[in-house]
Amino acid sequence: MLKAVLFDLDGTLVDTERLYLQANAAASAQLGQPLPAAAFQRLVGTGDLRQNAWLQQQFGAGLEAFIRLSDELFEQQLGSVSALPGATQLLNHLHQRGIQLGLVTVSPSTYVNNIVTQQPWPQFDVTVTGEVGASKPAPDLYQRALSQLALPTPAVVAVEDTPAGVTAANAAGLRCLQVHDLAPASAKATAVLPDLVAVAAWLRNA
């Protein structure tokens, strides 16, 4: 029986991945190495950008400057972040059913608080952010959430938008639904669904 649902944040509950890509493209242009936003799509869900070989090849010694400028440009857009279609309805529905809600994200806590407080969502029972363990696809963040919930893994489902997130949830022993958006579909997902409305329908039968 379903007792809890653990959600990723960026690209799963809020439409921020496209803002990231726009910030990446703007930063590359300002640094004199213009690349289109589509070129950065390969970075969606990859974790620590400093470890990304493609970025290192593009920017070399200027990688830190690129990351810093991208972050600054992205933060300027945070006031325009919106929930993805169906997110608010899904969270409220699960909360009303008495199902515990968790947030498991590689993003830092200050950023997460900024995003979440803008939304009309019920309170999350568990929030795990990127400061407390290795980035996805490592299972650390999901393992931390599970330890706080104190529930058996069959009673918990994760919802992610990237293969790295799916891998992290699976490595922690969880079933994982993937909302297929910018990142490629994962063969490891329990189901690959088009949006959160479809996720809600799947969870009703879980």
Side-chain angles (χ1 to χ4, degrees):
M1 182 176 178
L2 184 66
K3 296 288 187 181
V5 181
L6 301 176
F7 291 90
D8 174 51
L9 180 62
D10 292 293
T12 300
L13 291 176
V14 290
D15 191 13
T16 48
E17 299 290 16
R18 289 171 180 80
L19 298 182
Y20 274 121
L21 298 185
Q22 292 167 15
N24 292 157
S28 71
Q30 289 188 32
L31 294 173
Q33 295 175 253
L35 291 167
F40 295 96
Q41 190 164 321
R42 71 191 73 196
L43 304 178
V44 173
T46 58
D48 187 356
L49 297 183
R50 291 168 181 82
Q51 305 300 319
N52 186 275
W54 179 80
L55 271 183
Q56 290 174 346
Q57 182 181 18
Q58 300 301 315
F59 295 98
L63 180 56
E64 287 292 338
F66 167 78
I67 292 173
R68 183 169 58 252
L69 183 55
S70 289
D71 288 345
E72 291 173 0
L73 294 170
F74 174 72
E75 288 170 6
Q76 293 172 12
Q77 305 179 77
L78 287 184
S80 63
V81 169
S82 59
L84 283 162
T88 299
Q89 295 90 331
L90 173 56
L91 292 172
N92 284 327
H93 173 71
L94 293 172
H95 178 68
Q96 290 164 6
R97 284 177 58 188
I99 292 171
Q100 294 188 70
L101 302 174
L103 200 58
V104 180
T105 172
V106 300
S107 296
S109 57
T110 52
Y111 165 81
V112 172
N113 290 336
N114 189 347
I115 294 294
V116 170
T117 54
Q118 294 182 47
Q119 307 301 328
W121 295 342
Q123 184 173 350
F124 288 95
D125 299 282
V126 171
T127 298
V128 178
T129 57
E131 297 96 337
V132 301
S135 183
K136 302 169 187 177
D140 299 37
L141 304 183
Y142 276 106
Q143 289 171 340
R144 176 68 68 94
L146 286 169
S147 69
Q148 293 180 25
L149 288 171
L151 290 172
T153 53
V156 184
V157 171
V159 182
E160 285 276 355
D161 71 308
T162 68
V166 173
T167 299
N170 288 168
L174 295 174
R175 293 174 292 167
C176 187
L177 308 178
Q178 183 184 5
V179 182
H180 189 204
D181 187 24
L182 295 178
S186 171
K188 298 178 180 179
T190 303
V192 178
L193 301 169
D195 52 37
L196 290 171
V197 175
V199 169
W202 193 99
L203 290 173
R204 279 195 290 271
N205 299 315

